Amino acid sequence: MNAVRSPLFYISVADFDPLERERLRQLIERYGGDRTLLSLTDEELDGALGFVRSTDGIRFPTVTGLLILGRESALREHLPTHEVAFQVLEGTQVRVNDFYRTPLLKLFERVMEQFKVRVEEDEVQIGLFRVPVPNYDRRTRKRSLSQCPHPPRLH
């Protein structure tokens, strides 16, 4: 079984933050996700997205569930290696060096905001038109965030 789908038998769904579930629903709406997910109850949503696994009728969070919906205190305790760094380099000088240990959707929003404030545009003259050319492509930012380079280690 894939490690992120593994149930964490030593914690409960009480370690999920209801605000993170609401954030998930808002992001589904904002970014055009599967709208059928919005009509599901919290329990149905957790099951549909693999955030929980049931054993003998008891719902246990999976690593995925904890990473997406977990309270920050639960993440620190149960997935202590979960951390994302956001760095901005200018040559060899580090201009920004921020570290986050938050649920992934909250992290996504924070890092997207970090990118957004750093977008600068140059204009290119094409005939009679001036065309703005950003230094960061929005699609690239989202893609880079959605492809996690390292799976979490279980402790």
Side-chain angles (χ1 to χ4, degrees):
M1 178 182 293
N2 187 331
V4 293
R5 293 182 181 172
S6 299
L8 302 171
F9 294 111
Y10 47 89
I11 65 172
S12 75
V13 291
D15 288 301
F16 286 169
D17 186 340
L19 295 176
E20 292 307 312
R21 191 177 285 107
E22 182 57 32
R23 185 186 315 272
L24 171 62
R25 291 180 189 280
Q26 289 173 3
L27 288 172
I28 290 169
E29 273 193 59
R30 187 178 313 140
Y31 291 105
D34 185 347
R35 298 189 66 73
T36 59
L37 294 171
L38 298 174
S39 64
L40 300 178
T41 66
D42 290 348
E43 291 78 19
E44 292 169 335
L45 182 67
D46 292 351
L49 295 177
F51 295 163
V52 295
R53 304 234 1 175
S54 293
T55 303
D56 297 327
I58 301 171
R59 297 169 54 237
F60 292 99
T62 61
V63 174
T64 300
L66 191 59
L67 285 169
I68 300 286
L69 301 178
R71 297 179 190 279
E72 290 182 34
S73 58
L75 283 168
R76 277 192 299 280
E77 182 178 349
H78 303 294
L79 297 175
T81 60
H82 167 63
E83 184 175 67
V84 171
F86 179 86
Q87 294 184 323
V88 176
L89 303 174
E90 192 173 297
T92 59
Q93 293 290 319
V94 178
R95 298 292 179 212
V96 177
N97 197 27
D98 294 336
F99 292 86
Y100 300 104
R101 302 187 78 193
T102 61
L104 291 178
L105 299 178
K106 186 176 193 177
L107 174 77
F108 172 79
E109 289 184 329
R110 283 188 180 172
V111 172
M112 290 300 288
E113 189 59 36
Q114 290 268 29
F115 272 115
K116 187 176 179 180
V117 299
R118 286 172 178 75
V119 172
E120 298 171 4
E121 289 185 347
D122 287 326
E123 287 189 351
V124 176
Q125 185 80 30
I126 301 175
L128 298 174
F129 301 100
R130 289 183 157 194
V131 179
V133 179
N135 58 342
Y136 296 108
D137 184 320
R138 192 172 158 198
R139 293 168 299 182
T140 304
R141 294 185 317 225
K142 287 180 190 175
R143 187 173 299 125
S144 66
L145 285 173
S146 67
Q147 297 172 352
C148 179
H150 306 290
R153 284 192 222 141
L154 301 176
H155 289 264

